[in-house]
Amino acid sequence: MEERGLRNTLKVQRAIQNLTQAELAAIAGVTRKSVNAIETGRMVPSILLALKLARALRVTVDTIFNLDGGLPSTSADGTEPYAGLE
Amino acid sequence: MTLSTPHSTEMSNEHIDLILRFSRRGLFILLLTFLWLGATVVGIAFWPNSVLAKWPAVVPWLFPVVMVLVMFALRIPLRGRWPSRSHKLKLILDDEFRRSNLARAQGAAFAVVVAAQVPLALLVLHLPARQAVIGMAGTTMSLGLVTLTALFLIFDRE
């Protein structure tokens, strides 16, 4: 059930924090199976779970989950995407 | 967020893994039970004189006795540590991976049940009305439950 275009660095971030799958699962309040499924790309987590994992690893969500190839630097009509949002 | 000690976290994880193993074994037994009962209903509908159809009348105690024995055998590894209302059980039941797998299995089982209706109707066409109804109802329920349980076990594996 791997979502095309979505990559995650959960395994790397977990290794940086020196946590096992079970330890991360306990902190985030899920089972080890969920962590394993996300790391192997078998499951795309909900926003809530992504936020919990990010908080457990003390990083932002987009440090763990990102789009393959990143976001376009310009939109189809040539304008800057997200302009005016800041 | 409070973090528990490494030892207690380890114990907790071990217990969660134990419950998960119990859950998988329990579901596998449930799958076998559905197959057993499904085969009996199919036997009653399509081959009323076969052993499959006659065993409930010959050995009516067999099913409950087997179920009780299996339940006792399943609970041995838990050593009385069944967490009836603990947060661990809630964590497992609310687990996102488990819920998404259950939803996928439900969707697939529904599709299989719907797709099986026409072939099933053609199969029971030649049977008397009573047997046809038993055949359709029993086979549909068995097919749905077996598909749901089997697919959930497949999706939920590591």
Side-chain angles (χ1 to χ4, degrees), chain B residues 99-110:
Chain B
R99 288 166 80 105
S100 71
N101 289 333
L102 189 60
R104 285 171 69 199
Q106 278 173 340
F110 180 71

Side-chain angles (χ1 to χ4, degrees), chain A residues 69-83:
Chain A
L71 290 169
S73 54
T74 54
S75 56
D77 60 0
T79 58
E80 281 291 318
Y82 320 116

Side-chain angles (χ1 to χ4, degrees), chain A residues 2-83:
Chain A
E2 191 171 351
E3 191 76 14
R4 285 180 70 186
L6 185 70
R7 288 184 307 178
N8 79 72
T9 59
L10 186 60
K11 195 172 182 176
V12 175
Q13 295 299 328
R14 183 171 60 75
I16 291 169
Q17 298 285 336
N18 204 19
L19 290 170
T20 63
Q21 284 185 345
E23 285 165 347
L24 175 61
I27 298 168
V30 289
T31 63
R32 190 179 50 78
K33 270 185 173 183
S34 279
V35 174
N36 183 263
I38 296 167
E39 281 188 2
T40 53
R42 287 170 60 205
M43 178 183 132
V44 176
S46 65
I47 294 172
L48 183 66
L49 181 52
L51 286 165
K52 281 182 182 175
L53 289 169
R55 191 163 70 173
L57 292 167
R58 297 185 188 121
V59 291
T60 57
V61 171
D62 62 354
T63 309
I64 307 174
F65 302 98
N66 48 65
L67 291 171
D68 215 358
L71 290 169
S73 54
T74 54
S75 56
D77 60 0
T79 58
E80 281 291 318
Y82 320 116

Side-chain angles (χ1 to χ4, degrees), chain B residues 21-89:
Chain B
R21 277 201 301 277
F22 172 83
S23 166
R24 274 190 76 79
R25 283 175 196 158
L27 280 171
F28 186 70
I29 297 294
L30 201 63
L31 176 63
L32 295 180
T33 309
F34 288 146
L35 282 170
W36 182 6
L37 294 178
T40 304
V41 175
V42 169
I44 290 169
F46 294 96
W47 305 283
N49 293 319
S50 66
V51 180
L52 268 179
K54 286 187 171 172
W55 75 262
V58 179
V59 278
W61 48 266
L62 184 65
F63 184 74
V65 167
V66 169
M67 283 297 105
V68 169
L69 290 177
V70 167
M71 279 311 292
F72 271 113
L74 268 177
R75 291 183 74 140
I76 288 172
L78 288 173
R79 291 188 289 274
R81 290 192 295 163
W82 178 244
S84 56
R85 286 196 190 89
S86 78
H87 75 281
K88 287 172 198 162
L89 192 64

Side-chain angles (χ1 to χ4, degrees), chain B residues 108-119:
Chain B
F110 180 71
V112 167
V113 162
V114 170
Q117 291 310 298
V118 174

